Amino acid sequence: MSTLRIIEVAAAAEAEAFLAIPARLGPLGWGVPLRWEEARLFDAGWNGFLRDHAVARFLAIRAGQPVGRIAACVPLAGPGPATFGFLCSEGDAGVVAALLDAARGFAARHGRSHLDGPLSFTINHEVGALISPAGRAPMLRMPRTPDWLPTMIEAAGFVPLGDVLACTLDLAAERHRARFAALAARRPAEMARLRLRRMDRRDWRAEVARVAALYDLAWGRNRHAVPLRPGEVEMMGKLLRPLLFAGEVVFADWDGAPVGLVALVPNIEPALPRDGRLLPFGWVKLAHALAGGGEEARIPMLGIAPGFRGHPASALAMGALLAEAIGIAARRGWRRIEISWILEENAAMRNAMARLPAPETGRWRLWRGATESDAI
């Protein structure tokens, strides 16, 4: 068998090879991202996240042919773990182990004792490797990975850190809006203190900053939480804007103070071209999906600021935000809403999903491995 080599991406041709691997290996069970969008994620001129992080990409080469890829990411200052992500490989445990070793070596050179992942780049982005169900249907920014990958990650010396979940509401079966309307009718004085408003696209920069501030508040105490930095907030705004042609962000205020938010975006993943290229005709299906032409949507953000948890505003705001999101989805003609991701230990959110009802429809896992510096 030909010798396997791991090289760090440096030249333009190597960067192109990195982008091309998912389309070639997609039939093995990998998701295939848009090449131009993924290229921008590694462009420091476009992605402000890279100003605060050291990022390296690696290719596995056998017989002159790329057979796998991975990226490693280390914060240059402040909190946050070293991570690996953007993993895609042939179904060969040796290739997966070699790629993970390259990422561990990068983290070790930056003084880190361990490496977490898959995270592309952090918990604020794509999370985990799919545990169940195998062959899950595509959903926006929810990873699709082969069923053999978890075993290979653990064989490379990584131990599980925990799972994140997706729950899916079938609008034909939802009971939430009727129940919440009855609750609101019984509590008019409190409902008068609650105000919902949709994101004002005319004030884009300030509104994205408000989303980021609430995100940090609502999710900041979660396992793996990493605060959003200014460059990352810029990137988030760029990625969010096209999804709001049909989607919405809704804020909840209590006596004028921000209490929570929900974001609802169309699931454009089924419309993405299998080769990851928009030209010559892939943009037609994508434009239709961005305009809300599919059947599914995703709620990637649904949270309440911790200062209001346990307060009457918490249950009312959560109920109102969910009712508003479900109403928007119904008017768009979407039949299903996926709420993802949810930490497996978040009992309150899982109970809320059971009441909708929105049963678990996906599970992803994170792992941690010691780096070379820790193993020596």
Side-chain angles (χ1 to χ4, degrees):
M1 180 179 291
S2 300
T3 302
L4 181 70
R5 296 186 300 121
I6 304 296
I7 64 170
E8 184 171 349
V9 171
E14 294 161 355
E16 283 298 316
F18 185 93
L19 298 174
I21 286 175
R24 185 165 59 81
L25 300 184
L28 299 181
W30 299 98
V32 182
L34 281 177
R35 293 194 195 190
W36 70 271
E37 182 175 81
E38 190 168 77
R40 293 194 301 175
L41 293 179
F42 293 98
D43 178 357
W46 186 89
N47 185 359
F49 175 89
L50 300 178
R51 296 196 294 265
D52 306 311
H53 296 78
V55 172
R57 289 173 286 175
F58 299 93
L59 290 172
I61 309 291
R62 178 184 285 143
Q65 176 77 16
V67 294
R69 71 174 203 176
I70 199 169
C73 174
V74 180
L76 294 174
T83 65
F84 72 88
F86 300 92
L87 177 61
C88 185
S89 166
E90 292 185 345
D92 182 326
V95 174
V96 172
L99 289 166
L100 288 168
D101 282 346
R104 284 198 272 208
F106 181 79
R109 290 192 294 276
H110 283 81
R112 297 306 188 100
S113 63
H114 62 266
L115 182 73
D116 296 350
L119 290 162
S120 304
F121 295 98
T122 72
I123 197 72
N124 302 327
H125 306 285
E126 292 195 8
V127 177
L130 184 64
I131 297 299
S132 65
R136 186 177 185 271
M139 174 55 67
L140 177 69
R141 306 199 195 288
M142 298 300 288
R144 280 180 291 144
T145 56
D147 56 7
W148 41 259
L149 182 61
T151 299
M152 291 187 182
I153 291 175
E154 293 183 10
F158 283 71
V159 297
L161 276 179
D163 292 358
V164 301
L165 315 177
C167 295
T168 300
L169 170 67
D170 185 332
L171 264 66
E174 72 93 5
R175 304 188 294 265
H176 176 75
R177 283 181 292 177
R179 286 202 304 261
F180 181 73
L183 173 65
R186 295 195 301 269
R187 300 169 71 173
E190 290 173 308
M191 286 301 297
R193 303 171 67 183
L194 180 69
R195 173 178 174 256
L196 300 187
R197 71 169 185 85
R198 297 191 185 185
M199 185 177 189
D200 184 352
R201 291 158 171 80
R202 299 168 301 178
D203 193 18
W204 182 259
R205 187 181 295 273
E207 289 285 70
V208 169
R210 292 182 186 105
V211 170
L214 267 171
Y215 178 90
D216 278 342
L217 278 174
W219 285 269
R221 299 179 184 177
N222 285 352
R223 173 168 48 92
H224 314 303
V226 179
L228 292 168
R229 303 183 190 185
E232 191 171 4
V233 175
E234 292 173 18
M235 179 189 67
M236 182 176 71
K238 292 173 183 176
L239 294 174
L240 183 62
R241 187 185 285 272
L243 297 173
L244 294 187
F245 288 133
E248 291 286 354
V249 175
V250 181
F251 297 95
D253 293 340
W254 181 265
D255 291 338
V259 58
L261 84 165
V262 65
L264 179 73
V265 293
N267 179 22
I268 64 170
E269 195 75 11
L272 298 184
R274 293 183 180 179
D275 63 358
R277 297 184 183 275
L278 282 179
L279 297 177
F281 302 116
W283 63 271
V284 177
K285 288 179 65 177
L286 179 59
H288 178 69
L290 285 169
E295 293 191 342
E296 296 179 316
R298 180 183 169 209
I299 291 180
M301 289 186 284
L302 172 63
I304 300 297
F308 284 94
R309 292 173 191 169
H311 186 278
S314 177
L316 289 177
M318 177 68 79
L321 288 168
L322 271 171
E324 182 72 7
I326 293 167
I328 292 168
R331 292 189 291 276
R332 299 286 192 273
W334 295 328
R335 297 183 181 183
R336 291 172 297 278
I337 304 174
E338 177 175 294
I339 299 95
S340 56
W341 49 261
I342 300 167
L343 287 171
E344 64 173 335
E345 65 265 29
N346 189 340
M349 184 62 77
R350 295 183 72 178
N351 289 338
M353 295 301 99
R355 291 191 297 269
L356 285 178
E360 179 182 323
T361 52
R363 179 178 287 259
W364 292 258
R365 185 159 295 159
L366 290 168
W367 289 266
R368 171 170 290 177
T371 66
E372 291 175 349
S373 65
D374 196 52
I376 292 173

